[in-house]
Amino acid sequence: QSALTQPASVSGSPGQSITISCTGTSSDVGGYNYVSWYQQHPGKAPKLMIYDVSNRPSGVSNRFSGSKSGNTASLTISGLQAEDEADYYCSSYTSSSTDVVFGGGTKLTVL
Amino acid sequence: EVQLVQSGAEVKKPGESLRISCKGSGYSFTSYWISWVRQMPGKGLEWMGRIDPSDSYTNYSPSFQGHVTISADKSISTAYLQWSSLKASDTAMYYCARGGLGEYYFDYWGQGTLVTVSS
């Protein structure tokens, strides 16, 4: 069981917006602004999409945005495109025995 | 251009030892942590531990402490992940990833090293 809880799958049609949630506790997501999101296409390495809750690295489309409320962080993808179909993982710093924890991952299907 | 280049796929037997590598280039290797992340077949990402190449300070996830060793040779900008006795359950893709000092995200990733442990 992963430390952070994500939905197993989400789907949307091209042009629509979707949101992926990432629920933790006050020891991780809720207690620190160190939530990051990664995109992973099949057979590829993960790619950083959002860091420190809502910051986008250079080169990442502004269709990707992040936010947090309480113990739940969210990744929103607007204007869905076929190329967005991938697995998405959240991650957070945690004050528990391990510094970094990942969510279980969410498979995004673009219909 | 920042790059992390990992060593190639390995096929090993249970009980054998193994060391895989991750070579950084295009940046100051001692200015960033290197973490290792496991991905078992069809599963999610798991943080294993990390090293500060400037002084080789390490910290591990309790799930991996004692079973793997993370090290680095800053003279050749290379980090390592090592097993002394592999198990079939170590079969997975292993990624190295760069993290900033005091940061908890990974901005560059290696291409992954597939380790297969089978008798």
Side-chain angles (χ1 to χ4, degrees):
Chain A
Q1 186 172 357
S2 300
L4 305 179
T5 301
Q6 299 181 231
S9 63
V10 298
S11 63
S13 300
Q16 287 186 331
S17 294
I18 64 95
T19 297
I20 299 171
S21 62
C22 170
T23 301
T25 69
S26 57
S27 296
D28 38 66
V29 173
Y32 307 91
N33 289 324
Y34 290 133
V35 177
S36 52
W37 290 90
Y38 303 87
Q39 175 192 66
Q40 187 180 34
H41 287 110
K44 299 295 187 183
K47 174 187 176 183
L48 178 68
M49 306 303 285
I50 296 288
Y51 67 95
D52 294 350
V53 176
S54 59
N55 295 300
R56 265 189 320 274
S58 174
V60 172
S61 170
N62 58 10
R63 297 186 298 106
F64 291 83
S65 62
S67 62
K68 188 184 84 167
S69 177
N71 294 337
T72 298
S74 299
L75 173 71
T76 298
I77 309 173
S78 59
L80 268 181
Q81 299 179 0
E83 68 206 47
D84 299 332
E85 185 163 292
D87 293 325
Y88 291 85
Y89 294 90
C90 63
S91 178
S92 174
Y93 168 77
T94 175
S95 59
S96 68
S97 54
T98 180
D99 270 3
V100 175
V101 289
F102 284 99
T106 298
K107 182 176 179 58
L108 169 62
T109 301
V110 180
L111 301 171
Chain B
E1 177 193 9
V2 174
Q3 283 191 308
L4 295 174
V5 178
Q6 298 184 227
S7 50
E10 302 274 0
V11 179
K12 291 289 189 178
K13 290 180 166 49
E16 291 186 332
S17 62
L18 175 65
R19 188 178 76 168
I20 63 175
S21 66
C22 169
K23 183 174 177 60
S25 63
Y27 73 100
S28 173
F29 187 68
T30 54
S31 296
Y32 295 82
W33 293 77
I34 292 289
S35 280
W36 287 93
V37 176
R38 183 176 79 174
Q39 187 168 38
M40 298 178 76
K43 302 299 184 181
L45 305 175
E46 301 173 88
W47 183 76
M48 302 175 70
R50 62 181 173 182
I51 188 165
D52 178 350
S54 67
D55 61 7
S56 290
Y57 173 80
T58 55
N59 66 310
Y60 295 88
S61 164
S63 299
F64 296 93
Q65 177 90 47
H67 187 56
V68 298
T69 301
I70 296 172
S71 61
D73 185 341
K74 62 184 178 182
S75 70
I76 55 172
S77 301
T78 301
Y80 302 97
L81 179 64
Q82 182 174 333
W83 295 260
S84 59
S85 181
L86 285 160
K87 305 175 184 177
S89 57
D90 292 319
T91 294
M93 182 71 81
Y94 293 88
Y95 294 101
C96 63
R98 189 185 85 161
L101 300 180
E103 302 289 350
Y104 299 97
Y105 59 88
F106 311 115
D107 57 355
Y108 287 91
W109 293 67
Q111 82 278 18
T113 296
L114 179 62
V115 174
T116 303
V117 183
S118 175
S119 55

